[in-house]
Amino acid sequence: LEFNSFYLTLGSSQFVFNGEVDGVNLLEPNVTEQLKAAQYDLDVRSEEIDLKDIADFTTYTPDLEKSLSMDFRTEGSADSLWIDRAELGIGESFVNLNGIIKNIIDRQNLSYEVRFEGINLRNEDLAQLLDSLAIPNNEELQSLSISGQANGSLQNVEGDFSISSRLGSLEIEGETQ
């Protein structure tokens, strides 16, 4: 199964899918089982996602003035999916990460290793997001940058992060259970 520049439009939001799924034949039975065993090489991007366009698919969507953007590049299988690049953004703010997710279908054994290449937050973008979540006093978070890594499962997380802003910097290492 291969697709190049497959466009999905929801309202004013547009998603572009490129990729290949090896091991799937839509003409044969058990497509779900084929998808579980398949090898994926996928690229999904959108320069403009209006959350109002996807509100019907989620339980809660914040009311944001600015559109979101995303760029994902993955390869592997449901047992071991490598994230070459994942970037989510709003305005000039973004989260950029890469890593691996294992056992995606088996929630009990799901695990991940994620490296945060950069998290950059700008005050005007952050104010919009935090105001929509009703969190006060966000001025101290202006120009916040975070890098580091997180490893874990749905039950626990181990992390090592460096955080810096105009107020200073902080190193955090820890684990949850």
Side-chain angles (χ1 to χ4, degrees), residues 83-146:
I83 303 167
D84 293 324
R85 174 186 67 243
E87 184 171 307
L88 295 169
I90 179 171
E92 293 182 31
S93 299
F94 67 88
V95 175
N96 190 347
L97 55 93
N98 63 43
I100 191 166
I101 302 173
K102 296 182 180 179
N103 301 312
I104 293 171
I105 296 172
D106 182 5
R107 291 179 52 95
Q108 297 293 352
N109 293 311
L110 183 133
S111 65
Y112 55 87
E113 297 175 20
V114 178
R115 284 180 296 289
F116 293 87
E117 298 293 321
I119 299 176
N120 291 303
L121 303 174
R122 299 294 174 249
N123 195 41
E124 68 180 56
D125 304 324
L126 191 60
Q128 181 182 185
L129 183 61
L130 293 180
D131 287 348
S132 72
L133 297 175
I135 299 172
N137 200 12
N138 61 10
E139 191 171 314
E140 288 80 15
L141 299 177
Q142 180 171 296
S143 301
L144 180 71
S145 293
I146 303 172

Side-chain angles (χ1 to χ4, degrees), residues 18-65:
N18 289 292
E20 191 174 325
V21 182
D22 289 332
V24 174
N25 183 340
L26 297 176
L27 301 176
E28 300 211 0
N30 298 323
V31 173
T32 302
E33 292 302 316
Q34 292 180 54
L35 288 169
K36 288 178 182 178
Q39 290 291 315
Y40 296 88
D41 186 356
L42 302 173
D43 188 4
V44 181
R45 65 182 163 80
S46 178
E47 293 180 7
E48 188 171 324
I49 304 167
D50 184 344
L51 291 182
K52 292 174 189 155
D53 295 336
I54 60 173
D56 291 340
F57 304 106
T58 62
T59 56
Y60 172 75
T61 51
D63 185 21
L64 302 177
E65 293 174 22

Side-chain angles (χ1 to χ4, degrees), residues 147-163:
S147 62
Q149 63 183 21
N151 306 316
S153 66
L154 294 178
Q155 291 78 31
N156 71 326
V157 178
E158 295 178 22
D160 183 7
F161 296 95
S162 297
I163 303 171

